Amino acid sequence: MIYGYIRVSTDKQTVKNQKFEISGYCDKFGLEINKWVSETISASKKLSDRKFGRLMKHLKKGDVVIVSEISRLGRNLLQVMSILNECMEKDVMVITVKEGYELGNNINSKVLAFAFGLSAEIERNLISQRTKEALARKKAEGVVLGRPKGSSNITSLKLYRIKDKVILLRENGWSYSKIARKYHVNRITVANFIDRINEEASNCK
């Protein structure tokens, strides 16, 4: 099976250009797309949430996936490498039109995959290093890192504006879960709010 895969990030973008490029490649080399897979979704979404993730599960030895460019596969180099590695293990060829890559289970593909992997590792290390340097600089400047210590102001809590109703319901025997369902919040949110109310009341004594 030969699959043509097309991905755009927003519904304002068009799939026509990618389909044109893939079709042109197929015409040039005498190939025919057996099935098109097209989706409008950000590559930042988990692979399992994308049509391409479902396609990956069905790929088998000898299949070919053609994309207009390698960036259509994933959100970053690490994800692209993971996808290519899985395809190579299944003996599935990935062809990218713009870059001219033909990645399969052969020595040239493995050399290219090694280069991709090395680039990904360098990219990861650079990001980590930049993050550490930024945190060190902020710390040197006296910026307090991490979440603020202490409790937030009770008036900023979601249930504060209806606190009298919540207290009344609790006095009438309503459970945290029942109150949570009534006001469309989590049970823990209700429990924490009641704890804060009781804490404030104790501090005022």
Side-chain angles (χ1 to χ4, degrees), residues 33-46:
I33 299 295
N34 300 120
K35 184 175 181 179
W36 290 95
V37 178
S38 176
E39 60 183 336
T40 302
I41 191 171
S42 170
S44 62
K45 295 289 185 181
K46 292 190 298 184

Side-chain angles (χ1 to χ4, degrees), residues 155-189:
T155 59
S156 67
L157 299 180
K158 188 173 184 178
L159 295 174
Y160 183 78
R161 60 185 179 81
I162 52 170
K163 70 171 184 173
D164 293 335
K165 294 180 181 178
V166 174
I167 292 172
L168 183 60
L169 291 175
R170 279 296 292 165
E171 290 176 348
N172 288 332
W174 281 44
S175 67
Y176 294 149
S177 297
K178 190 174 181 180
I179 295 173
R181 287 193 296 271
K182 178 177 176 62
Y183 293 112
H184 308 291
V185 296
N186 190 284
R187 176 189 176 281
I188 305 251
T189 300

Side-chain angles (χ1 to χ4, degrees), residues 122-175:
I122 292 171
E123 179 186 52
R124 184 172 62 248
N125 290 337
L126 287 174
I127 291 173
S128 175
Q129 187 60 35
R130 286 196 296 268
T131 301
K132 290 178 181 178
E133 289 173 353
L135 290 174
R137 184 173 64 254
K138 287 184 178 181
K139 189 173 182 180
E141 293 171 351
V143 177
V144 178
L145 304 175
R147 297 179 64 180
K149 295 181 179 179
S151 301
S152 59
N153 191 313
I154 193 171
T155 59
S156 67
L157 299 180
K158 188 173 184 178
L159 295 174
Y160 183 78
R161 60 185 179 81
I162 52 170
K163 70 171 184 173
D164 293 335
K165 294 180 181 178
V166 174
I167 292 172
L168 183 60
L169 291 175
R170 279 296 292 165
E171 290 176 348
N172 288 332
W174 281 44
S175 67

Side-chain angles (χ1 to χ4, degrees), residues 6-19 38 40 72:
I6 299 170
R7 181 185 62 79
V8 292
S9 299
T10 70
D11 55 10
K12 293 181 181 179
Q13 296 175 315
T14 177
V15 301
K16 291 182 179 179
N17 289 343
Q18 292 180 46
K19 191 168 186 177
S38 176
T40 302
R72 297 298 93 195

Side-chain angles (χ1 to χ4, degrees), residues 4-204:
Y5 175 67
I6 299 170
R7 181 185 62 79
V8 292
S9 299
T10 70
D11 55 10
K12 293 181 181 179
Q13 296 175 315
T14 177
V15 301
K16 291 182 179 179
N17 289 343
Q18 292 180 46
K19 191 168 186 177
F20 176 79
E21 291 169 348
I22 295 172
S23 296
Y25 179 92
C26 290
D27 290 341
K28 182 178 179 180
F29 292 97
L31 302 173
E32 182 179 352
I33 299 295
N34 300 120
K35 184 175 181 179
W36 290 95
V37 178
S38 176
E39 60 183 336
T40 302
I41 191 171
S42 170
S44 62
K45 295 289 185 181
K46 292 190 298 184
L47 189 60
S48 58
D49 294 334
R50 294 167 50 195
K51 289 182 182 179
F52 190 76
R54 294 192 286 275
L55 172 61
M56 289 283 290
K57 293 180 180 179
H58 291 94
L59 291 174
K60 57 184 183 296
K61 183 177 180 179
D63 285 343
V64 178
V65 178
I66 305 178
V67 293
S68 63
E69 56 187 315
I70 202 165
S71 62
R72 297 298 93 195
L73 294 176
R75 66 179 179 272
N76 55 42
L77 194 54
L78 294 174
Q79 187 180 61
V80 170
M81 272 305 303
S82 176
I83 291 170
L84 292 178
N85 182 65
E86 185 173 342
C87 287
M88 288 173 65
E89 289 181 348
K90 290 185 173 184
D91 206 3
V92 171
M93 177 171 284
V94 177
I95 296 174
T96 69
V97 176
K98 288 185 178 179
E99 296 91 350
Y101 298 143
E102 294 184 4
L103 303 169
N105 191 17
N106 54 60
I107 188 63
N108 289 336
S109 297
K110 290 176 181 178
V111 169
L112 188 56
F114 173 77
F116 278 140
L118 183 60
S119 298
E121 184 177 353
I122 292 171
E123 179 186 52
R124 184 172 62 248
N125 290 337
L126 287 174
I127 291 173
S128 175
Q129 187 60 35
R130 286 196 296 268
T131 301
K132 290 178 181 178
E133 289 173 353
L135 290 174
R137 184 173 64 254
K138 287 184 178 181
K139 189 173 182 180
E141 293 171 351
V143 177
V144 178
L145 304 175
R147 297 179 64 180
K149 295 181 179 179
S151 301
S152 59
N153 191 313
I154 193 171
T155 59
S156 67
L157 299 180
K158 188 173 184 178
L159 295 174
Y160 183 78
R161 60 185 179 81
I162 52 170
K163 70 171 184 173
D164 293 335
K165 294 180 181 178
V166 174
I167 292 172
L168 183 60
L169 291 175
R170 279 296 292 165
E171 290 176 348
N172 288 332
W174 281 44
S175 67
Y176 294 149
S177 297
K178 190 174 181 180
I179 295 173
R181 287 193 296 271
K182 178 177 176 62
Y183 293 112
H184 308 291
V185 296
N186 190 284
R187 176 189 176 281
I188 305 251
T189 300
V190 178
N192 289 340
F193 180 70
I194 295 298
D195 287 344
R196 285 297 307 278
I197 290 289
N198 293 334
E199 182 184 327
E200 292 289 323
S202 298
N203 291 338
C204 290

